[in-house]
Structure formats: C-alpha cells, structure tokens
Amino acid sequence: MGILEAIILGIVQGLTEFLPISSSAHLRIVGDLFPNLGDPGVTFTAVTQIGTETAVIIYFWKDIKRIIVKWFQSLPVGPWKNQVPSSDPDVRMGWIVIIGTLPIVVLGLLFEDAIDSVFRNLYLTALMLAVFALLLGLADRFGKRTKELQTMTIRDGLILGFAQSMALVPGVSRSGGTITVGLALGYTRAAAARVSFLLAIPAVMGSGFYRLLSDDGTGPQAGALPLLAATVTAFIVGYAVIVWFLKLVETKSYLPFVVYRLLLAGFVVVMLSQGLLSMY
C-alpha cells in the first residue's frame, strides 16, 4: 500500500466512522477498487479507527472527564468514596459504558476467526447494508424520540452494547447499530448519537491496540508509514465529521443515510456480479 492509497483510505475512514453507514464496509469496498490492493484487512481497519476515536476523546473530553471523576467519587471505597450518589446521571453513564462494552469484547474474542474471514464476505456486507438501512429507517420513523441521555438506564446501556457488537460484521455500522436501537428504545436522535460516541471509545480503542500488539501492526497490505498516514488522516477528517454530524441530527432525519445504504448495497451486488469486486 502506498502513501496516497493510505491517505485516501484514511479519508474514507474519517468520513464514515461516525455516520450510520459502516466505515468497515467502506474500507473493504474502496480497498477492493484499488488495483492490486484489495481488502486492507481487519488490522488496518482497527488501527485507523484509533485516529477517529482519538477525535472523539478530544471533542468529548469535558464530558468524559466529568463522567470518570464522578464515577470514582461514587464508589463505596477509596479516598473519594460516596461523594457522589450512584443515581447521578454521569455515574450511571460511566456504568453504561463499562457494561455496554462487555458484549463486543466477549463476542469479538469468541468470533475473532470469523471476523477475519467469513464476516468480510462482500455479499454479506451488502446484505447487512440493506437490512440495517431498513431497520434504521423504521426506528427513525416510528421511534418515540422522547427520552434524553440523562435518563438512560443500565438495562438500555446493555442492550445498546449488544447493538454495538453487531458491527463486528462489516455493513452493520457501529454507530448505525447503536443509533437504530437507541431510537427503537425511544431516545432522541441526539441522545442516540451521543451514546454511540461514548460507548464506542473503549471498544474501538481496545480493538485498535489489541490488533496493533497482537499482529505486526501493519496488516497484510500496509506498511507502518502508510498505516500512520491513514490514522492521522482519519483523525483530522473524523473530528470535522463529529461537529457536522451532531449538528445534523438535531434537526434532520436519518432518511438520507437509509437511502445511501440501500444504493451502496445495490452497487456492491452489481459490482460483484460483474466481477469488478471480489467476494473476499
């Protein structure tokens, strides 16, 4: 993989990570469109996501810091014990992030071999793009959208954690899965989007560093320098997308993303049938 290809893939990662359209699917598809490149691989995808998730940490730093401090202050032991009640919304959000991360960790380890192989079938990716487009559209259309982030329960956090874990299959979308289920549970568009950002932090950072340490850090196609270029590019583009996306969901529906996912699914199937994309 050359530097230019890596930067293009980094732009794709930054543009798609936070939108409900599946960044892993886009990297899989765009990589296959490059001559002599193909699937950039799970490691490349996971490591470049460190860049986009770093953008999340910087953007939400005040919220993250407040949640962490209050969570520790609510513990029954330690120097700050019982300074904040366990009913505090920030304390509850801390528990939601911890508990909601467990499903993707457990399922990611159990299905690691399938994630590296079977789940990267582009026909499966196209199917997931289409199915979850329809689910997102239905949730956005019929969800009550009355619950705010401050009222989120631990039970709902665990459900959202399982929704996030569906993104282990390219085409589902990490944000798309959590936003869809969040809307179905009755949360506002803004609340569903914000919890998807917060819930992704430990999962994405953990996956990225796990891949970086357990593999050689480069994946099958990329060298260290292209991987770094892609990650930095993903960070820069991703930060801009966060700002735009959060403003968008305050006033607009998810219908454009539903339509886009359906069109992309059709495009993938046509390209596969013409032999212009490879199944694996």
Side-chain angles (χ1 to χ4, degrees):
M1 180 185 294
I3 296 294
L4 180 59
E5 293 169 328
I7 290 174
I8 292 173
L9 290 175
I11 292 172
V12 171
Q13 168 63 26
L15 286 173
T16 59
E17 172 66 18
F18 308 120
L19 307 181
I21 55 177
S22 181
S23 62
S24 58
H26 280 75
L27 288 179
R28 174 73 180 84
I29 295 163
V30 174
D32 216 33
L33 292 174
F34 280 112
N36 305 316
L37 180 58
D39 183 0
V42 177
T43 296
F44 180 90
T45 301
V47 174
T48 54
Q49 286 175 338
I50 293 176
T52 46
E53 216 55 38
T54 300
V56 173
I57 293 172
I58 292 173
Y59 186 86
F60 287 100
W61 176 244
K62 289 183 179 179
D63 293 333
I64 294 169
K65 181 181 178 181
R66 187 183 67 251
I67 290 168
I68 292 174
V69 169
K70 286 191 175 182
W71 184 85
F72 275 106
Q73 289 177 335
S74 73
L75 295 177
V77 295
W80 307 297
K81 64 179 181 179
N82 299 322
Q83 290 186 14
V84 176
S86 59
S87 59
D88 186 278
D90 287 323
V91 174
R92 190 164 60 249
M93 181 53 63
W95 284 113
I96 285 170
V97 171
I98 293 170
I99 294 171
T101 300
L102 296 178
I104 197 169
V105 172
V106 174
L107 293 174
L109 292 173
L110 287 176
F111 293 98
E112 185 173 358
D113 291 340
I115 292 167
D116 292 345
S117 55
V118 177
F119 289 175
R120 299 188 74 78
N121 182 318
L122 272 184
Y123 278 111
L124 179 60
T125 298
L127 177 63
M128 293 299 100
L129 283 167
V131 169
F132 279 86
L134 298 176
L135 292 176
L136 174 61
L138 290 171
D140 194 37
R141 174 66 178 82
F142 296 106
K144 293 181 179 180
R145 301 201 303 273
T146 57
K147 298 179 183 178
E148 297 294 342
L149 192 61
Q150 293 80 5
T151 65
M152 183 168 289
T153 64
I154 299 294
R155 179 191 73 93
D156 287 353
L158 182 59
I159 294 172
L160 289 167
F162 278 102
Q164 177 178 242
S165 68
M166 292 187 293
L168 294 169
V169 182
V172 172
S173 170
R174 188 186 314 277
S175 63
T178 52
I179 288 171
T180 296
V181 173
L183 292 171
L185 290 171
Y187 290 94
T188 64
R189 291 178 180 134
R194 283 183 173 271
V195 75
S196 76
F197 282 110
L198 295 174
L199 197 58
I201 293 171
V204 173
M205 295 299 279
S207 172
F209 283 108
Y210 172 75
R211 289 286 177 174
L212 194 61
L213 295 174
S214 61
D215 295 346
D216 62 1
T218 62
Q221 300 285 347
L225 189 58
L227 187 64
L228 177 61
T231 304
V232 172
T233 303
F235 162 75
I236 296 170
V237 176
Y239 191 90
V241 171
I242 294 172
V243 178
W244 170 79
F245 182 58
L246 287 176
K247 290 181 179 178
L248 178 74
V249 297
E250 293 285 352
T251 56
K252 305 295 183 181
S253 78
Y254 285 104
L255 182 59
F257 300 112
V258 172
V259 174
Y260 175 81
R261 288 179 66 109
L262 292 172
L263 291 174
L264 182 60
F267 169 79
V268 171
V269 171
V270 170
M271 294 291 280
L272 283 167
S273 66
Q274 298 299 313
L276 298 175
L277 288 174
S278 60
M279 187 186 309
Y280 287 104

